Amino acid sequence: QVHLVESGGGLVQAGDSTRLSCAASGHTTSPYTMAWFRLSPVPGHERAFVGGINWDGTNTYYDPAVKGRFTITRDNTKNTMTLEMTSLKPEDTATYYCAADRSGYYGSDRAAYDYWGQGTQVTVSS
């Protein structure tokens, strides 16, 4: 079992930058990939993939909507993953969730992930 806790976010203005962190605890000695998803407040929107990172941080994969603006890194010595968000837009407003997977997957299929955090809110004002 891996327990995930997100932190960071809050209210920012369009064009600003902010950082989210995801701390993992529990059975973290076995390798796991990680990802960020977000849930928009707009009715009907599903939990959308933001980006993922492989087990050692050497490869990442991003949704086109955030590629070039968001950067995912991880520090396995601290069991943390970070999402650096720049050039924020009002449409980036969402609850952001981190997820972890034991199988090596770090793509956009949310059903593939074994563990989820509780989410942290990011609100971007225009």
Side-chain angles (χ1 to χ4, degrees):
Q1 187 81 4
V2 176
H3 183 57
L4 303 173
V5 177
E6 302 94 338
S7 61
L11 176 63
V12 296
Q13 293 197 339
D16 283 354
S17 300
T18 195
R19 175 188 298 174
L20 305 182
S21 294
C22 175
S25 61
H27 293 148
T28 57
T29 54
S30 298
Y32 54 95
T33 53
M34 302 185 78
W36 288 97
F37 287 78
R38 62 186 180 183
L39 182 62
S40 168
V42 177
H45 280 221
E46 297 179 345
R47 189 170 295 188
F49 177 73
V50 174
I53 190 166
N54 70 338
W55 73 273
D56 63 358
T58 56
N59 283 295
T60 52
Y61 172 60
Y62 298 97
D63 183 84
V66 306
K67 191 173 183 180
R69 298 190 298 123
F70 292 10
T71 303
I72 298 173
T73 57
R74 66 186 293 171
D75 183 343
N76 287 341
T77 65
K78 299 178 180 178
N79 293 321
T80 58
M81 175 178 63
T82 299
L83 177 64
E84 299 275 359
M85 302 187 287
T86 65
S87 302
L88 283 161
K89 306 174 183 180
E91 53 263 42
D92 294 318
T93 294
T95 302
Y96 285 73
Y97 298 85
C98 66
D101 177 61
R102 292 288 193 193
S103 70
Y105 180 78
Y106 55 103
S108 60
D109 182 3
R110 59 185 182 273
Y113 291 87
D114 302 309
Y115 310 104
W116 291 86
Q118 82 290 348
T120 188
Q121 179 67 32
V122 175
T123 302
V124 184
S125 64
S126 57

